[in-house]
Amino acid sequence: MTTCVIVLGMHRSGTSLLAGSLHDAGVYMGHTLNTGFQFNPKGLWEAPAVLYMHENLLEQNGGNWRDPPEPPLEWGKLHLSVRDLFIESREGHPLWGFKDPRTLFALEGWLEVLDDVRLIGIFRHPASVAASLANRNGIDIDSALALWRRYNERLLHARRAFGATLVEYTDTAADMERRLAAALRRVAPDALERVPFFDPALYRNPADDDGLPHSVQSLLDALRSEAE
């Protein structure tokens, strides 16, 4: 029996921070895209097999990461094979995990075959995510906010339906470190009191709530009420 930790959250929301911190806490993440670059100085921490399988899964269901299809998704034989081989490759590792923001739309396909799963998710202020997506991908602010809502509706569902642990990427760097450490201890009890992977120098403060669409603000409030 092995335990799988699945990192959940939207793009540009701190999922790489969670995945890297889990690695430092002793969770086996395997081969990942952990080379730093402009937008992720410490790497993405995504397993390529999962990333590319998920993107193809979204495409086969009529979408992509910018326009994800509504679950439940139809998994083809190739997707199931990649999933099952990926899980099989983790045999011998009592505590392992993976991260890819697209997992929010494919989660049920993993849960149906994993016996022992711990879910941990992170969300970030929608205005900060929208600004980051505009800078990195050229997505206009209104479209980015709508995309934030799509992903984070799925994150709230994972919390309420499957008991995912939630942490908000917010407030001061010291508070962020405290929240992150508390959330990690729930899914990886042997995690260190201090979170070595977390670098306050890379912390970016969120925007305020003024001017958010009502539907986005309501979802943000709901996530905050469920977070650690």
Side-chain angles (χ1 to χ4, degrees):
M1 181 73 70
T2 63
T3 299
C4 175
V5 181
I6 301 179
V7 175
L8 301 172
M10 187 187 174
H11 305 269
R12 314 306 301 153
S13 296
T15 55
S16 300
L17 169 62
L18 273 187
S21 298
L22 286 167
H23 170 268
D24 283 4
V27 178
Y28 178 74
M29 304 300 287
H31 171 63
T32 60
L33 302 172
N34 55 15
T35 301
F37 59 101
Q38 178 184 358
F39 296 103
N40 283 73
K42 289 196 170 187
L44 289 172
W45 289 89
E46 296 175 3
V50 173
L51 187 163
Y52 295 127
M53 183 273 281
H54 278 165
E55 186 62 16
N56 185 263
L57 176 63
L58 297 184
E59 290 174 356
Q60 292 301 307
N61 282 267
N64 53 57
W65 76 266
R66 293 186 184 217
D67 183 21
E70 278 300 317
L73 305 186
E74 182 177 344
W75 289 59
K77 290 183 179 179
L78 176 62
H79 309 120
L80 296 173
S81 295
V82 172
R83 178 199 66 185
D84 295 345
L85 287 171
F86 184 78
I87 295 172
E88 184 180 333
S89 73
R90 268 52 186 166
E91 289 183 3
H93 298 280
L95 185 61
W96 60 276
F98 68 89
K99 166 253 174 174
D100 173 35
R102 300 163 186 80
T103 309
L104 283 167
F105 298 91
L107 182 58
E108 286 79 2
W110 289 93
L111 296 181
E112 69 182 16
V113 294
L114 290 169
D115 295 321
D116 188 4
V117 184
R118 299 171 187 173
L119 304 177
I120 181 169
I122 189 167
F123 62 97
R124 185 182 180 193
H125 196 281
S128 295
V129 173
S132 184
L133 288 174
N135 184 40
R136 189 189 73 170
N137 302 102
I139 300 176
D140 67 85
I141 296 298
D142 288 343
S143 296
L145 288 173
L147 192 57
W148 182 94
R149 182 182 173 189
R150 292 285 311 283
Y151 275 81
N152 284 285
E153 284 174 343
R154 291 294 299 168
L155 183 60
L156 186 61
H157 171 73
R159 166 64 181 174
R160 293 176 172 175
F162 308 118
T165 295
L166 295 186
V167 59
E168 182 178 5
Y169 188 104
T170 187
D171 294 333
T172 64
D175 191 49
M176 179 69 231
E177 186 170 6
R178 177 189 60 78
R179 294 183 187 205
L180 182 59
L184 288 176
R185 283 194 295 272
R186 289 181 63 90
V187 297
D190 294 330
L192 302 176
E193 282 295 316
R194 181 176 178 275
V195 184
F197 189 85
F198 179 72
D199 183 356
L202 300 178
Y203 181 81
R204 295 174 176 85
N205 289 321
D208 59 43
D209 294 356
D210 292 343
L212 289 178
H214 176 72
S215 60
V216 172
Q217 181 66 61
S218 296
L219 179 55
L220 178 61
D221 292 341
L223 288 166
R224 285 172 168 168
S225 72
E226 301 273 356
E228 290 291 313

